[in-house]
Amino acid sequence: MAQRVADPNLDTAQDRATATGLPFWAGWPTRTRLILVVLAIDILAALASCGVIVLTARSAVQVEMAASLATVEPLVADTIRSLRSPSPESVLHTLDLRFQALRHVRVTILNAEGKRVGFGPSEQAREQRTAPRWFVRLIAPEPRQHDLPILVKGERIGTAAITTQPLDEIEEVWGYARSLALASLILNLAVLAALTLALGRILRPLGRLADGLTRLERHDYTAHLDPPASRELAVIAERFNRVAGALSEARAANGRLNRQLLTAQDDERARIALELHDEFGPCLFALEANAASVARLAGSPNAIDRDRLAARAGDIGSIVGQVQVLNRDLLNRLRPHGLGEVPLTDCLNLLLRDFRRRHPETAFDGVFEGLARGYGDIVDLTVFRCIQESTTNAVRHGAARHVRARATEETAAGLTVLRVSVEDDGTGITPGHRIGLGLSGMRERVEALGGHFDLDTASLDNKASGTVVRITLPIDPERDGSEVPPPPAAPQPK
């Protein structure tokens, strides 16, 4: 099933939750959801408490009804025995008055003819109640009725009709349940109010965190969060501040890199302009002068001096050859000739051969074994530029007499890397030496490819001075399969 993506144009979190198929409460604030969870727990607890109260009250009412029925018969006998002259009328009236004060049962006194004795003045008061009918129906047991004969000297003078009446007990239970419910309601309201305030204070750092993330999203990396009292949220605030600091440093590094890039571009343009002025300018002037001389010789009314004409042609050819060398060097500096078209090993050997030609007083050794034909334009160009820049620094700044460049492909623990090193026996790195654009450019090239750049004072063949540049570049295992290691290249003349 394809995952649904939320529309960024939706107005509310609730709309986004609905659009992504999440539950409707997914867009609610955390505090609201926690309070609703507490309310749900309170409701469940209230329902459980009501069930316990109902079951307990029904059992208690049944016990009370049974006990009240059991006390009526001894009460009749005690009443008859307490009378000195128990006549039927006095006995019945006495019992009627006495039974009006009983609770949980209603006793109706009937004479021998079955007629009721007395009027029961408290019946109306007994019928008044406050418990609702649904509560009475939940608790009241099935009504029970029992007829108890009234005997005086062995003769039945009447009947006591006993009927269970649980309303008194139910009223007591209802009063207790209502007081308990009111107390629970007040307590829960107080707990919810305290919980709302507490959650507001606890979750307030999350709001500040959201504001901080919004500032980061707007590229304001000066955002900072004060650590809250909560240990977990303090850890989050600390991580946020570290991320903001890292982003600020990365932004500053990017700014420095852009400035260095602009400076390098301007320096390269200035260097090219200087070479065009200092190298190409004189050559073009010489070509122009020789061409003018040839024109004068050709237009002379006298016989043409062929020796002078041949000399001028030779000068022109020599100047053109010099211009071609300068042009090739300039193009090779802008873009190495043949890189990506011929094996990387051949390009590196040609680079060292060119250094040998331009600096015959320095020995250049190259060991490039087991390299693939190529590792992609970016990696190949990085290796080429790093060896070129390191060798140039060794000759120009270190006055080296011997430079050795190495490049090998190694595999360890399933990871393939390209190791490059350039060592020299020059003057080495002087204390307090400022890293120039060449070294910083090499470092940034290598680190941009996930590699490691190291500049050390270890020297060639353990001599007292010198510099070594070490570079490690990870190789993508899924590179083009046509990049097979070429056969060993023939040794180049020094």
Side-chain angles (χ1 to χ4, degrees):
M1 172 180 275
Q3 184 178 2
R4 301 178 62 185
V5 181
D7 186 354
N9 296 323
L10 294 177
D11 295 334
T12 63
Q14 185 64 41
D15 294 335
R16 290 193 294 271
T18 304
T20 53
L22 297 175
F24 66 91
W25 60 80
W28 293 354
T30 302
R31 180 164 64 174
T32 302
R33 295 169 67 178
L34 291 175
I35 291 176
L36 289 179
V37 168
V38 174
L39 281 176
I41 294 175
D42 283 345
I43 292 173
L44 292 177
L47 292 176
S49 300
C50 290
V52 171
I53 290 174
V54 168
L55 294 177
T56 305
R58 291 187 67 174
S59 176
V61 168
Q62 290 176 357
V63 171
E64 287 290 337
M65 296 303 100
S68 297
L69 287 175
T71 59
V72 171
E73 187 171 353
L75 186 58
V76 171
D78 291 342
T79 302
I80 294 175
R81 282 196 300 269
S82 65
L83 296 176
R84 295 182 179 179
S85 57
S87 64
E89 291 78 6
S90 62
V91 170
L92 294 178
H93 282 287
T94 302
L95 290 175
D96 181 58
L97 293 175
R98 191 164 189 177
F99 286 153
Q100 288 183 9
L102 292 180
R103 302 182 62 212
H104 308 319
V105 292
R106 299 293 177 263
V107 181
T108 302
I109 304 299
L110 303 176
N111 56 22
E113 289 78 14
K115 294 181 180 180
R116 182 173 179 177
V117 176
F119 299 98
S122 62
E123 287 297 321
Q124 184 176 0
R126 289 176 182 269
E127 291 296 330
Q128 295 178 355
R129 60 189 180 190
T130 59
R133 294 184 181 276
W134 60 267
F135 189 76
V136 174
R137 285 195 296 267
L138 281 176
I139 296 179
E142 290 294 330
R144 296 172 58 185
Q145 185 170 356
H146 176 62
D147 293 336
L148 177 65
I150 302 174
L151 302 176
V152 176
K153 297 179 181 181
E155 181 181 356
R156 182 172 181 172
I157 63 173
T159 304
I162 307 170
T163 306
T164 57
Q165 190 61 259
L167 289 179
D168 294 332
E169 186 69 20
I170 293 176
E171 289 290 336
E172 292 181 3
V173 174
W174 171 250
Y176 166 76
R178 187 171 54 184
S179 301
L180 180 62
L182 182 60
S184 299
L185 178 61
I186 295 175
L187 178 62
N188 283 322
L189 290 177
V191 169
L192 286 176
L195 185 62
T196 301
L197 295 177
L199 289 176
R201 294 180 60 87
I202 293 173
L203 297 177
R204 188 175 298 123
L206 295 180
R208 292 197 293 266
L209 176 61
D211 295 338
L213 293 175
T214 302
R215 293 177 61 184
L216 291 184
E217 184 180 2
R218 296 173 180 172
H219 306 290
D220 180 8
Y221 302 130
T222 60
H224 180 81
L225 296 181
D226 296 328
S230 173
R231 183 176 61 183
E232 293 79 4
L233 295 179
V235 172
I236 295 176
E238 180 184 1
R239 297 293 187 273
F240 175 87
N241 293 333
R242 289 183 181 178
V243 170
L247 290 175
S248 179
E249 293 177 2
R251 186 178 187 178
N254 287 337
R256 292 192 299 269
L257 179 59
N258 289 332
R259 289 191 294 271
Q260 290 177 357
L261 180 60
L262 294 175
T263 304
Q265 289 177 348
D266 292 339
D267 290 346
E268 185 66 21
R269 290 166 182 165
R271 196 157 46 241
I272 293 175
L274 184 63
E275 288 189 7
L276 290 176
H277 180 271
D278 294 344
E279 302 291 343
F280 283 87
C283 291
L284 293 177
F285 177 77
L287 285 175
E288 182 182 9
N290 280 282
S293 178
V294 169
R296 285 194 302 270
L297 289 174
S300 175
N302 301 324
I304 297 177
D305 189 346
R306 297 182 179 275
D307 292 336
R308 292 180 63 187
L309 191 61
R312 297 294 179 271
D315 291 343
I316 291 175
S318 176
I319 295 172
V320 169
Q322 185 179 356
V323 170
Q324 288 176 341
V325 171
L326 294 174
N327 182 64
R328 184 168 56 250
D329 290 344
L330 183 60
L331 292 177
N332 191 55
R333 191 166 69 246
L334 295 176
R335 169 71 185 182
H337 178 68
L339 192 65
E341 300 177 2
V342 298
L344 177 61
T345 301
D346 295 346
C347 291
L348 298 179
N349 285 324
L350 288 173
L351 174 64
L352 293 184
R353 187 176 67 179
D354 184 62
F355 272 103
R356 294 187 192 100
R357 179 181 59 80
R358 290 187 285 118
H359 304 280
E361 71 282 358
T362 303
F364 297 92
D365 293 337
V367 181
F368 312 116
E369 299 176 351
L371 296 181
R373 178 180 179 86
Y375 299 92
D377 287 345
I378 298 180
V379 175
D380 291 352
L381 185 59
T382 300
V383 173
F384 187 93
R385 290 301 189 196
C386 289
I387 294 179
Q388 183 184 44
E389 183 67 27
S390 301
T391 307
T392 301
N393 290 339
V395 175
R396 181 181 299 172
H397 305 295
R401 294 299 177 181
H402 189 188
V403 180
R404 178 185 299 162
R406 296 175 180 269
T408 58
E409 180 182 330
E410 299 179 6
T411 302
L415 180 64
T416 303
V417 296
L418 193 62
R419 300 191 185 276
V420 180
S421 65
V422 179
E423 305 170 78
D424 66 74
D425 61 351
T427 57
I429 303 175
T430 58
H433 175 72
R434 187 177 65 87
I435 300 298
L437 293 178
L439 291 175
S440 62
M442 280 194 291
R443 183 186 301 275
E444 287 158 3
R445 278 178 179 268
V446 172
E447 291 179 352
L449 296 176
H452 178 71
F453 177 89
D454 184 32
L455 179 64
D456 201 356
T457 55
S459 62
L460 184 65
D461 299 330
N462 297 321
K463 292 185 179 180
S465 61
T467 307
V468 57
V469 176
R470 294 187 179 90
I471 296 168
T472 303
L473 290 173
I475 302 302
D476 185 5
E478 298 182 357
R479 65 181 186 273
D480 188 0
S482 63
E483 298 171 352
V484 216
Q492 299 292 333
K494 295 185 180 179

